[in-house]
Amino acid sequence: QTGGSSPPSSGLITASRGEGGEEGEEGEEWEEGEEGEEEREGEQMPQLDGNISVGSLSVSSHSEDDFLIPVMVGHRPVKQRPVDRVPARRTVRRSNKLIDALSVPRITLYNMRSAWSKLDSLAEDMDMRATDLCFLTEVWQEAENRKHQEAIEELLEIHGVKYVSTPRPGARRGGGTAVACSEEFFRMTKLNISIPKPLEACFTIVRPKNTTGKITTLICCSFYSPPRSTVRNKLAEFLVATVGKLRGEHPGARVILAGDRNDMRIEAITNLDPSLKQLVKFYTNKKGDKVLDVILTDSHDLLQEPMVLPPLKVDNNKEGKDSDHKGVQCLPRSNLAQGGGAVREKIAVRRFPES
């Protein structure tokens, strides 16, 4: 090529023709450029951005060490910012029932069939079972004999038990109700409530000496409804009315009613006061076919299922007859799983295939 002719369009660096003896050399150099161009036409050269192209760089300006490592760059989607999740709200229900249960007494219930002949047996039973509060029916205490009542109180005080009673009014033998309280952890006060004749009930206020929960006052009553009584409905109405009055005088107080119902229907009480629940489910009479001795309370969530106890025996040095009713024991809950029967629930499950 001569004059202003330009080098080939391949973009390779070549020399132009000069004058004289340099023409041959330049011709040789041009010829070499053409050969190098032919050799590099099929050669893959890496670009500066990492992609591969053919003949994009001159070997004269870069060495092999300057070439970048070939990198295959694929499609990279833009990373989206994760959507903020709404935190799941879980309601954790905390229960103080076990703390409140510490202020509930250990309860027993006995049909005495004469308290005088079983005082030692009663005191020993309360000590052995660590009973705090014992409800007694059919104490057979003489209403007009004050010395008899004082003798009973003195004998039980020797064992650290406070005894309050309401004998059967009139000259009829039998009947009568009482409450015995161990004074180690609780204090008991008899309420001066007029009991209409011929109803039989004994009301007391019981307070724990060391309050650990919300329960500070217990309204307790021992009642007795004789067999074939014609005033059993009046007794139920009187119990509910008196409890309602005492609740007004002692806000927040809990209620425990225990006694021998005989023919009185429990619904006569629970229908008038739905907060009360009857806890005893087993037979307590001698034949084993009736639930005569009952415990009604609004603190059923703080008590365990009642347990049956053997009848009290007559003291060794006294005359009389053994009790013909089984005893009842009801303890405070010491575990949240206690206090209720097993709950059966049917759950449908869909099994995953083995694949």
Side-chain angles (χ1 to χ4, degrees):
Q1 297 179 354
T2 59
S5 62
S6 61
S9 60
S10 62
L12 298 176
I13 302 173
T14 57
S16 60
R17 293 185 180 184
E19 296 178 357
E22 298 176 355
E23 183 177 358
E25 295 177 1
E26 293 176 351
E28 291 176 2
E29 185 179 19
W30 175 262
E31 188 175 354
E32 291 175 2
E34 290 178 349
E35 292 176 358
E37 178 183 359
E38 292 176 357
E39 292 177 359
R40 289 190 293 270
E41 285 182 355
E43 182 180 347
Q44 294 184 350
M45 306 290 291
Q47 294 182 358
L48 294 178
D49 60 357
N51 294 328
I52 298 175
S53 63
V54 178
S56 60
L57 295 177
S58 173
V59 294
S60 62
S61 59
H62 295 277
S63 64
E64 294 181 357
D65 297 334
D66 295 335
F67 293 156
L68 300 177
I69 298 175
V71 177
M72 300 297 295
V73 180
H75 173 69
R76 295 183 180 180
V78 179
K79 187 177 181 180
Q80 297 181 354
R81 183 179 179 181
V83 180
D84 294 337
R85 294 183 178 181
V86 179
R89 294 187 176 183
R90 296 182 60 186
T91 302
V92 180
R93 297 184 178 181
R94 303 184 183 275
S95 176
N96 292 327
K97 290 183 178 181
L98 294 181
I99 298 177
D100 294 337
L102 296 175
S103 300
V104 177
R106 299 166 65 95
I107 301 169
T108 55
L109 168 63
Y110 285 109
N111 180 296
M112 295 297 289
R113 203 181 184 190
S114 178
W116 177 258
S117 62
K118 304 176 183 65
L119 292 179
D120 292 339
S121 296
L122 175 63
E124 292 175 1
D125 183 85
M126 292 184 66
D127 182 65
M128 178 183 66
R129 304 185 191 281
T131 302
D132 298 312
L133 202 62
C134 184
F135 295 85
L136 307 174
T137 60
E138 287 202 75
V139 294
W140 291 9
Q141 188 175 317
E142 298 178 10
E144 305 300 331
N145 191 344
R146 181 62 184 174
K147 292 182 178 180
H148 186 209
Q149 182 176 350
E150 292 177 354
I152 295 176
E153 295 174 0
E154 290 176 0
L155 287 173
L156 290 177
E157 284 179 2
I158 297 175
H159 299 277
V161 177
K162 185 175 182 179
Y163 176 90
V164 296
S165 62
T166 302
R168 170 174 284 179
R172 287 192 307 155
R173 181 177 178 271
T177 59
V179 181
C181 177
S182 175
E183 295 184 318
E184 184 177 0
F185 301 109
F186 292 87
R187 288 189 294 266
M188 181 178 66
T189 304
K190 183 181 180 181
L191 297 177
N192 188 17
I193 296 177
S194 177
I195 310 295
K197 293 182 181 181
L199 305 183
E200 301 181 47
C202 179
F203 281 90
T204 65
I205 289 291
V206 177
R207 292 185 174 92
K209 291 184 177 181
N210 298 319
T211 303
T212 55
K214 296 181 179 179
I215 299 178
T216 58
T217 305
L218 293 166
I219 301 171
C220 302
C221 174
S222 176
F223 65 90
Y224 177 67
S225 177
R228 298 176 298 276
S229 174
T230 59
V231 294
R232 53 182 177 269
N233 290 334
K234 290 184 179 180
L235 175 60
E237 295 173 359
F238 171 75
L239 294 176
V240 174
T242 305
V243 166
K245 180 182 177 181
L246 293 174
R247 277 175 171 165
E249 297 175 358
H250 304 276
R254 297 296 185 102
V255 179
I256 302 176
L257 307 179
D260 185 353
R261 70 180 183 93
N262 281 305
D263 301 325
M264 184 177 69
R265 296 174 60 251
I266 294 300
E267 292 76 13
I269 297 177
T270 56
N271 289 343
L272 296 175
D273 190 346
S275 66
L276 300 178
K277 181 180 179 181
Q278 207 286 101
L279 304 182
V280 183
K281 307 298 182 183
F282 49 81
Y283 301 132
T284 60
N285 63 329
K286 188 175 182 179
K287 294 181 179 180
D289 58 355
K290 293 181 180 179
V291 182
L292 299 182
D293 302 273
V294 296
I295 298 176
L296 298 100
T297 179
D298 57 358
S299 299
H300 47 82
D301 56 336
L302 305 179
L303 295 168
Q304 302 180 29
E305 291 286 339
M307 297 176 289
V308 62
L309 299 178
L312 284 181
K313 303 291 185 179
V314 177
D315 297 342
N316 294 329
N317 57 346
K318 294 179 183 177
E319 297 181 358
K321 295 182 180 181
D322 297 339
S323 175
D324 56 353
H325 286 219
K326 296 177 183 178
V328 179
Q329 183 182 42
C330 196
L331 304 178
R333 292 174 66 175
S334 57
N335 188 295
L336 289 177
Q338 297 170 342
V343 178
R344 295 182 180 273
E345 184 179 359
K346 186 176 182 180
I347 302 176
V349 179
R350 186 182 70 178
R351 298 185 180 276
F352 288 99
E354 295 181 358
S355 60

